[in-house]
């Protein structure tokens, strides 16, 4: 059974050191072609770990952790990394998942309510538009929040602030990733029953990989800004501490005074 264990625990193929760096869609396709089998296995792991509905947020966090490793081209051991991330982020991901699901439910309810009323009253089109924008923002916020959560351990309020900042700075890549994910499920519906195996093979993991790829740059930007801000705040304190704890400067050596010869 050695071959079966190696299939889940061995490193990915990687890329040559002298290969030219690609960006944008070309980089997305390159990673997808290189890591397609890892993405298929990741999809299977996600389905197995999300069979119990309460484990869905933790499974999403674990899948996001592996997807970020693929985007950053880091060595990853799929089964080990997925299991560690699932256990590590279980409670945090569950709490955030419930909060975000509640926010999306409120937004969708507002869309349904104002959409039904806007047919008879055009004045309700304004709150309907606000509800649509709020729903899109919450979805983008969720993408950034889950990716940031698995990239850096941060307090809840600070994580939410950074996710909101990233969502404002670069919302379009996240929206494009969500549109790509929606197109996967639309293709599954349109081409059914030919596409019956799409959810079991790559729909979940490929969608999360697209989300991680889309929001990664914004996540790195806000994390770098946060680190610079922390460094700017701590630098004066470190200087004061160094002054306080700095030992006294050594005095130049002096010869002892000779007594007068008697």
């Amino acid at each position: 059974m050695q071959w079966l264990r190696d299939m889940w625990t061995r490193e990915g193929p990687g890329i040559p050191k002298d290969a030219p760096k690609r960006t944008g869609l070309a980089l997305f396709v390159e990673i997808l072609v290189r890591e397609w089998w890892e993405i298929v296995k990741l999809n299977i792991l996600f389905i197995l770990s999300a069979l119990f509905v309460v484990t869905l947020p933790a499974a999403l966090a674990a899948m996001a952790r592996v997807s970020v490793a693929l985007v950053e081209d880091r060595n990853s051991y799929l089964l080990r990394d997925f299991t560690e991330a699932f256990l590590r982020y279980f409670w945090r991901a569950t709490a955030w998942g419930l909060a975000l699901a509640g926010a999306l439910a409120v937004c969708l309810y507002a869309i349904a309510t104002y959409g039904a009323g806007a047919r008879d009253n055009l004045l309700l089109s304004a709150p309907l538009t606000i509800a649509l924008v709020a729903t899109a923002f919450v979805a983008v916020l969720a993408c950034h929040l889950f990716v940031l959560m698995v990239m850096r351990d941060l307090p809840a309020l600070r994580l939410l602030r950074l996710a909101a900042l990233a969502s404002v700075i670069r919302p379009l890549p996240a929206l494009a990733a969500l549109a790509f994910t929606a197109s996967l499920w639309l293709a599954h519906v349109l081409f059914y029953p030919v596409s019956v195996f799409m959810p079991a093979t790559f729909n979940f993991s490929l969608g999360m990989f697209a989300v991680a790829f889309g929001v990664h740059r914004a996540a790195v930007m806000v994390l770098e800004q946060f680190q610079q801000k922390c460094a700017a705040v701590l630098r004066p304190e470190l200087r004061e501490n160094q002054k306080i704890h700095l030992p006294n400067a050594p005095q130049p050596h002096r010869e002892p005074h000779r007594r007068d010869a008697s």
Side-chain angles (χ1 to χ4, degrees), residues 167-210:
S167 302
V168 173
I169 293 175
R170 287 175 57 86
L172 294 182
L175 289 174
L178 291 174
F180 175 79
T181 304
S183 67
L184 292 176
W185 291 100
L186 181 61
H188 168 63
V189 174
L190 293 177
F191 297 103
Y192 191 85
V194 178
S195 59
V196 65
F197 293 107
M198 285 181 62
T201 52
F202 59 82
N203 265 27
F204 295 104
S205 58
L206 183 55
M208 178 56 74
F209 171 70

Side-chain angles (χ1 to χ4, degrees), residues 26-88:
L27 179 60
F28 178 82
V29 175
E30 179 185 3
I31 299 175
L32 181 60
V33 172
R34 186 177 68 244
E35 305 288 353
W36 69 271
W37 183 234
E38 296 297 308
I39 291 176
V40 172
K41 293 188 293 184
L42 179 61
N43 197 84
I44 297 173
L45 280 178
F46 170 78
I47 293 174
L48 293 177
S49 59
L51 288 176
F52 304 98
V53 180
V54 294
T55 60
L56 179 60
L60 286 172
M63 188 165 56
R65 177 67 177 271
V66 176
S67 298
V68 170
L70 295 178
V71 172
E72 296 178 348
D73 191 35
R74 289 188 281 108
N75 292 334
S76 62
Y77 299 89
L78 182 60
L79 183 59
R80 185 195 66 184
D81 293 348
F82 187 93
T83 304
E84 290 179 356
F86 182 88
L87 297 175
R88 180 178 181 179

Side-chain angles (χ1 to χ4, degrees), residues 230-244:
C230 291
V233 172
L234 294 176
R235 191 175 294 114
E237 297 180 1
L238 291 175
R239 290 177 179 176
E240 292 297 329
N241 292 335
Q242 288 178 355
K243 291 180 181 179
I244 294 174

